[in-house]
Amino acid sequence: MQGFFEKLYPMGKFDAYKIPLKSLSPGKHEFTFTLNDKFFKDIDGEEFKKGNINAKVTVKKLVGSFELVFEMDGIVKVPCDRCLDDVEIPVDYNGKLFVKFGKSYSEESEDVIIIPEEDEINIAWFFYEFAVLSLPMKRVHPPGKCNKTVSGKLKKHAAGDPDEDSDDFEPDFNDISDVDFDISPDEKEIDPRWGKLKDLNIE
């Protein structure tokens, strides 16, 4: 999350995602947000630019720090790894972030950050990064749902490359019409080494 403040504040598009930490009274405070296509387009992240997520942040004022609990539920649209068309991927994220005041921005650990001692924190970029963290490594349509034109070209390519990894082109193991089950024991292939042992007279 390095460069978080430099990325957000000059843009001026995310005032609705500022939380006034210093002015919060002791106890818990809840903030709700809707992250839509406009939000992700304005964020301009590399992973995706479309989605619809309901988000809630519960802020608890502690001694010397603040605990932010993020809850996110919805979908984002990312390019399919196979056909590059948009595919909807569910987002279900729950996590904590601890914030402390200091002279400049830094990260103590994955879930502890130091921010300049200001009255508020803008959490827009955290929403984007947490959504990215919730995505699976493989992002593909269900079998048969990929773009047909692209799938056809991939199938031709895969035919010349037996190692091609594509779930759309898995063999149909339910089709057993060509399988011959009437194979006698004598017709089974025998390891040549065992075959030579059969010729030995061991009586």
Side-chain angles (χ1 to χ4, degrees), residues 39-52:
F39 170 84
F40 291 113
K41 182 179 179 181
D42 288 342
I43 281 286
D44 196 26
E46 295 181 357
E47 294 288 336
F48 57 84
K49 293 180 174 62
K50 297 179 182 178
N52 190 0

Side-chain angles (χ1 to χ4, degrees), residues 93-136:
Y93 178 86
N94 290 272
K96 292 182 179 181
L97 184 68
F98 293 91
V99 180
K100 299 179 181 180
F101 288 133
K103 292 183 178 181
S104 60
Y105 179 88
S106 64
E107 299 178 12
E108 283 193 351
S109 65
E110 291 184 356
D111 58 355
V112 179
I113 66 169
I114 309 296
I115 66 171
E117 193 165 351
E118 301 177 8
D119 179 61
E120 58 195 15
I121 181 174
N122 195 315
I123 58 174
W125 184 251
F126 292 104
F127 280 138
Y128 174 76
E129 288 213 343
F130 292 153
V132 171
L133 287 175
S134 72
L135 298 180

Side-chain angles (χ1 to χ4, degrees), residues 170-187:
E170 291 180 354
D172 184 4
F173 292 106
N174 293 319
D175 184 4
I176 58 175
S177 57
D178 295 330
V179 180
D180 184 5
F181 293 100
D182 298 326
I183 301 177
S184 66
D186 292 338
E187 293 174 325

Side-chain angles (χ1 to χ4, degrees), residues 82-83 85 144-157 168-169:
R82 280 199 297 257
C83 71
D85 278 5
K145 299 297 183 180
C146 276
N147 181 296
K148 299 299 183 183
T149 301
V150 178
S151 295
K153 293 181 179 179
L154 286 174
K155 189 172 182 179
K156 290 180 180 179
H157 177 69
D168 265 357
F169 314 125

